[in-house]
Amino acid sequence: MAKRRTFEELVGKEFRWPEPGDDPFDVHDDEENHACIAGDDFSRFVLMAEGYRQSADALVDMALADWREKDILIYPILFLYRHALELNLKYIINVYGRYVGIDPVWNSHDFQVLWPRFLEVLDHFGTDDPDKADQIVGGVIAQFGNVDPGSFSHRYPYDRFGKPIPLVRDRMNLTTLKDVMDGVFGYFTGTDGYLSDLAKAS
């Protein structure tokens, strides 16, 4: 138990240590603690997009509640928001692109690929944009694409070749980040509802 004692000495308290029979996927009878994993792909698509976004929001709240957490949680926060953006774009392209002859994009994380395809879907439906929300959201997505082009920058310190991944920014305002992302995800929700109405009428 040398490793256990060493860690307990480092942290100054007892802690949970691996035990025989540990199985992270074991399902006990206490159903109130169960989380259901959706069996069909479409439900998972929707739940994943919302889950990554809500997870990022929750981590922002946690970091703002305890300043010691900010510099630890910023990496998953940025990754989760970025992945939620990617899933929202792919959702719109996949669900509504079929109505206007536009193929989905499954083989790219690149916003320079996904955002133009998303706009193609909107253009084919002939959507109006009086408040320039498309342009604003496109700008936010472009910033995420610049900060993390391939969805690696906040998951790994090194690239596939062992070279340090350069970072574009060295600090973030978490309150501003969450506020802006609220607007962006509200935009996607509104776009989904609007396109749904147009698709039903077609």
Side-chain angles (χ1 to χ4, degrees):
M1 286 294 184
K3 292 193 290 294
R4 177 175 184 164
R5 283 200 300 271
T6 299
F7 194 80
E8 286 178 343
E9 290 171 1
L10 287 171
V11 299
K13 61 180 181 181
E14 292 186 5
F15 64 96
R16 167 70 156 84
W17 191 251
E19 299 175 356
D22 277 354
D23 178 358
F25 298 100
D26 185 22
V27 181
H28 296 90
D29 294 333
D30 51 342
E31 292 191 9
E32 64 182 19
N33 294 324
H34 290 185
C36 293
I37 300 173
D40 69 284
D41 55 333
F42 183 78
S43 295
R44 284 201 306 276
F45 203 164
V46 174
L47 294 172
M48 283 178 178
E50 184 61 20
Y52 282 104
R53 180 267 173 100
Q54 287 189 23
S55 297
D57 285 347
L59 289 181
V60 170
D61 291 341
M62 185 186 301
L64 291 174
D66 185 349
W67 63 268
R68 293 168 296 185
E69 301 292 339
K70 292 177 183 176
D71 295 345
I72 298 172
L73 297 179
I74 186 59
Y75 306 104
I77 287 169
L78 288 172
F79 168 72
L80 291 166
Y81 275 140
R82 190 202 188 284
H83 197 56
L85 287 174
E86 180 180 332
L87 287 173
N88 273 270
L89 289 170
K90 288 181 174 179
Y91 173 85
I92 296 291
I93 295 166
N94 176 63
V95 172
Y96 300 107
R98 68 187 70 173
Y99 290 97
V100 290
I102 294 175
D103 293 330
V105 180
W106 300 121
N107 61 349
S108 178
H109 302 290
D110 191 344
F111 288 144
Q112 292 185 10
V113 173
L114 295 169
W115 180 249
R117 186 72 60 90
F118 171 86
L119 290 179
E120 278 187 64
V121 174
L122 298 188
D123 289 343
H124 277 74
F125 273 96
T127 60
D128 295 325
D129 187 29
D131 50 10
K132 306 297 182 187
D134 296 347
Q135 181 179 342
I136 296 167
V137 171
V140 172
I141 289 174
Q143 289 186 65
F144 268 87
N146 183 46
V147 167
D148 188 2
S151 192
F152 285 99
S153 300
H154 301 112
R155 288 195 289 163
Y156 306 102
Y158 302 97
D159 65 17
R160 296 169 182 169
F161 306 101
K163 295 181 180 179
I165 297 175
L167 296 179
V168 175
R169 294 180 174 273
D170 63 359
R171 67 182 55 238
M172 298 287 300
N173 184 312
L174 293 175
T175 303
T176 299
L177 174 64
K178 185 180 178 185
D179 179 57
V180 170
M181 299 313 291
D182 281 347
V184 170
F185 291 116
Y187 164 87
F188 281 119
T189 300
T191 300
D192 181 22
Y194 183 62
L195 292 179
S196 178
D197 289 342
L198 293 177
K200 289 174 184 176
S202 62

